[in-house]
Amino acid sequence: MAVVASRCTGLLLPDLGASLAGFRRRRSTPASSLSLRPRRARRRLGSLSCIAPPDSAEPQTDEPAAKDDSTEDKAEASSASQDAGNPTFPNKDLSRRIALASTIGAVGLFAYQRLDFGGVSLKDLAANATPYEEALSNGKPTVVEFYADWCEVCRELAPDVYKVEQQYKDRVNFVMLNVDNTKWEQELDEFGVEGIPHFAFLDKEGNEEGNVVGRLPKQYFLDNVVALASGEPTVPHARVVGQFSSAESRKVHQVADPRSHG
């Protein structure tokens, strides 16, 4: 019996067309030639089922997992777009820490400068200075400093002058004369003050042995003071000039108290 392929792949069915053709030929045979044949029991075909061959199996995909991955990708893309659209603000805690560190740094720098300078100012030196008239009459050698409050070099050297003064104030007079005070015009001419700070070193009789002008190493000042305190006839640094402020820039004013040595 011929067979034909069904629409279900891999299933073979009997060729019904050939069976029908044979049936038609038998019907056209003359009645005389027909002979009765015992009736055969009909062949019942079993129920058909479509079974796909192994090669036709399609790969199965994990649809839930694919959906989950797609959902996560969309969520990440949405989050990234939101982050890109929103401006980034600095952390408040970080800003506070930076501000605190800046404040501590500023306070530390100020404290360091005060400690480094010994907390000494020109006003402190002037307040502790010996009056000029007294210095010329007490029989001790004298250091006269011509200064001004606006003089940066004067302020810078104040701590060094103070340290030396504390060591030798019992044997040497330390006098401060403010060039802005018109009271000291005669002394400015006498000592030839053109720049400040100007340090004049006087012996016991008030005679000038030498002078140091401007910013110089502390040792220059100390050596001259030691020579005065020791009664030496001369000072090792009789005429030395460093960086100074011009006395021509002084702001002349009259001090109310004529006895003031400032």
Side-chain angles (χ1 to χ4, degrees), residues 190-212:
E190 179 182 346
F191 290 97
V193 178
E194 296 180 354
I196 54 177
H198 181 113
F199 299 93
F201 300 90
L202 313 179
D203 61 14
K204 295 179 180 181
E205 288 75 25
N207 300 316
E208 183 180 15
E209 296 186 2
N211 57 71
V212 172

Side-chain angles (χ1 to χ4, degrees), residues 76-89:
E76 292 178 359
S78 175
S79 177
S81 62
Q82 291 179 358
D83 293 342
N86 296 330
T88 303
F89 296 98

Side-chain angles (χ1 to χ4, degrees), residues 63-77:
E63 295 183 358
K67 291 182 180 179
D68 293 342
D69 294 342
S70 176
T71 303
E72 292 179 359
D73 293 341
K74 291 181 180 179
E76 292 178 359

Side-chain angles (χ1 to χ4, degrees), residues 2 11 15 36 38 48 53 76 100 116 124 151 155 167 171-172 176 187 194 207 211 223-225 232 251 254 261-262:
L11 178 64
D15 189 354
L36 297 177
L48 301 178
E76 292 178 359
L100 179 61
D116 185 53
D124 296 329
C151 173
R155 293 197 299 265
Q167 289 180 297
R171 290 177 286 173
V172 179
M176 299 284 291
E187 284 71 21
E194 296 180 354
N207 300 316
N211 57 71
D223 290 344
N224 284 0
V225 171
E232 299 291 336
K251 304 173 182 179
Q254 181 67 48
H261 57 272

Side-chain angles (χ1 to χ4, degrees), residues 122 126 144-152 154 175-189 191-199 213 244-255 260-262:
L122 291 172
V144 180
E145 178 182 357
F146 293 89
Y147 77 101
D149 293 333
W150 47 263
C151 173
E152 294 183 4
C154 301
V175 177
M176 299 284 291
L177 302 183
N178 192 331
V179 299
D180 290 338
N181 188 346
T182 56
K183 176 184 178 180
W184 310 117
E185 290 290 341
Q186 180 179 347
E187 284 71 21
L188 290 173
D189 293 337
F191 290 97
V193 178
E194 296 180 354
I196 54 177
H198 181 113
F199 299 93
V213 181
F244 61 87
S245 298
S246 175
E248 297 298 329
S249 303
R250 61 198 181 104
K251 304 173 182 179
V252 179
H253 66 278
Q254 181 67 48
V255 176
S260 174
H261 57 272

